[in-house]
Amino acid sequence: MRPGEVEDSPYARAGGRLPGGPVPDPDPDPVLGAGRAPLPPERRPAGRTLPHALALLLIAGGLLYDLLTPREFTAVPFFTAAPLVAAPLTSLRTTLLTGLAALGATYAVHAHLGPGLDVNTVTQVVTVATVALLAVVINRVVRLGDRRLASVREIAEAAQRAVLPEPAPRIAGLDIAARYEAAQEGASIGGDLYAVQDGPYGVRLVVGDVRGKGMGAVAAVAVVIGAFREAAEQEPTLEAVAGRLERALAREGARRDGADALEGFTTVVLAELPHDEGVVRIVNRGHPPPLLLHADGALRVLTAGEPALPLGLGELGRRPDRAAESRFPAGATLLLHTDGLTEARDAHGRFYDPVRRLAGRRCTDPRTLLTRLAAEVRRHSGGGMADDMALLAVRRP
């Protein structure tokens, strides 16, 4: 969303503390409280027995077809389809056995119908044998591609762990969980970011969204996180941390050419949890506001007192950052997220509304909250999310 653009989002209509009573929802969730039912896995791989069964059914169907029809009719399409089905979905051994079975079935049918090898029999046997050999080649090509894809994914996952390392599950007495959901299937990293840093001024958090995609966005993510970790240790105020991030992105933008140099920006929300104070301070730079889920199920949207421009756009309007402070009582959970959560649409174009969905729920484990929330968003959008989604949850036991 562009700066200054008005969005019809849940936050445009919500503010302050929402009642903690249960929100009408057809499927109760025993883990999170009143809400959604336990969700199926996001991806269910096809059963390994299905390709084997389909190949056997094709061979059996070909035998039955050839035996029940006049000799002029041929079941060669059945016999050639069987190894082609097995090739991309099964092992080399299974593909070879399927090809041999199809070849044997072809010869057996003709041997049953009449003695000798006529031209038609030889032609059909050679056809099935050729397709079986082709299936073996396809199997090898697919397996090679799978290995290359696995290697690429391992590299992407390593890059993600380097740029966005998983935070420790417990920092300074706080329970913490993070999750990154890429919109593109198979992708591991993009322009969303999160980081947690403990320091002399408390535990500080950042969640953000870099404009754009690709390696340029990843480079900006690395700049923001690097600057945040350094500033979180050194700067006495959260406002000063935001200023350090602004300057770091300005230096990065000066090294770029084209539209990125002129239009690059990053929305972030910064949070500070001072040690043993029971409060949370928020500085918001054009980002969706965090949600505070209380132990009794009540939900509060932590809106910024004074709106501020995203990082990288400070020259358009210089205004000092002012942190907004709120109570963060024991048992409460702070949820920071990117707009991939609120911009997920269903088949009818309706946005996912975390305020309505989460109000009334009781959360005792941040990791479970994020797992269920991510699965629920996937189900809401039919698995076709339009944008990446970063989630960071912190619970004060």
Side-chain angles (χ1 to χ4, degrees), residues 311-371:
L311 300 176
L313 299 180
E315 294 183 357
L316 299 181
R318 295 190 177 276
R319 178 182 298 177
D321 290 303
R322 299 185 184 278
E325 184 173 300
S326 303
R327 289 186 61 251
F328 187 23
T333 300
L334 179 68
L335 175 64
L336 296 86
H337 60 88
T338 57
D339 57 9
L341 176 67
T342 55
E343 291 183 359
R345 298 173 182 255
D346 63 11
H348 304 287
R350 293 188 294 259
F351 289 108
Y352 180 84
D353 187 348
V355 174
R356 183 179 69 84
R357 298 294 187 96
L358 295 179
R361 299 190 187 186
R362 292 172 173 83
C363 171
T364 59
D365 177 25
R367 186 174 297 275
T368 301
L369 169 67
L370 298 192
T371 299

Side-chain angles (χ1 to χ4, degrees), residues 162-322:
V163 177
L164 294 178
E166 186 81 9
R170 194 168 180 86
I171 298 176
L174 302 172
D175 296 330
I176 296 177
R179 189 180 182 96
Y180 193 103
E181 291 284 321
Q184 183 178 357
E185 185 175 355
S188 299
I189 191 169
D192 289 11
L193 62 97
Y194 58 78
V196 181
Q197 187 70 34
D198 188 17
Y201 307 102
V203 177
R204 286 171 169 173
L205 322 167
V206 63
V207 168
D209 188 358
V210 176
R211 173 196 170 273
K213 302 290 183 182
M215 293 308 298
V218 175
V221 167
V223 169
V224 171
I225 292 181
F228 167 77
R229 293 197 181 281
E230 182 179 354
E233 289 271 358
Q234 300 174 355
E235 297 295 345
T237 67
L238 202 58
E239 294 89 341
V241 174
R244 286 276 288 270
L245 299 187
E246 179 80 52
R247 293 191 293 273
L249 278 178
R251 289 193 300 268
E252 174 66 15
R255 291 193 290 267
R256 297 189 181 188
D257 299 323
D260 284 344
L262 300 175
E263 302 175 7
F265 62 86
T266 301
T267 67
V268 298
V269 60
L270 295 162
E272 180 180 87
L273 306 173
H275 298 142
D276 303 323
E277 288 191 23
V279 299
V280 54
R281 300 187 183 103
I282 300 292
V283 167
N284 195 323
R285 284 296 202 92
H287 198 77
L291 306 178
L292 187 62
L293 288 69
H294 289 264
D296 61 358
L299 185 149
R300 184 179 179 187
V301 182
L302 302 183
T303 55
E306 296 185 15
L309 293 173
L311 300 176
L313 299 180
E315 294 183 357
L316 299 181
R318 295 190 177 276
R319 178 182 298 177
D321 290 303
R322 299 185 184 278

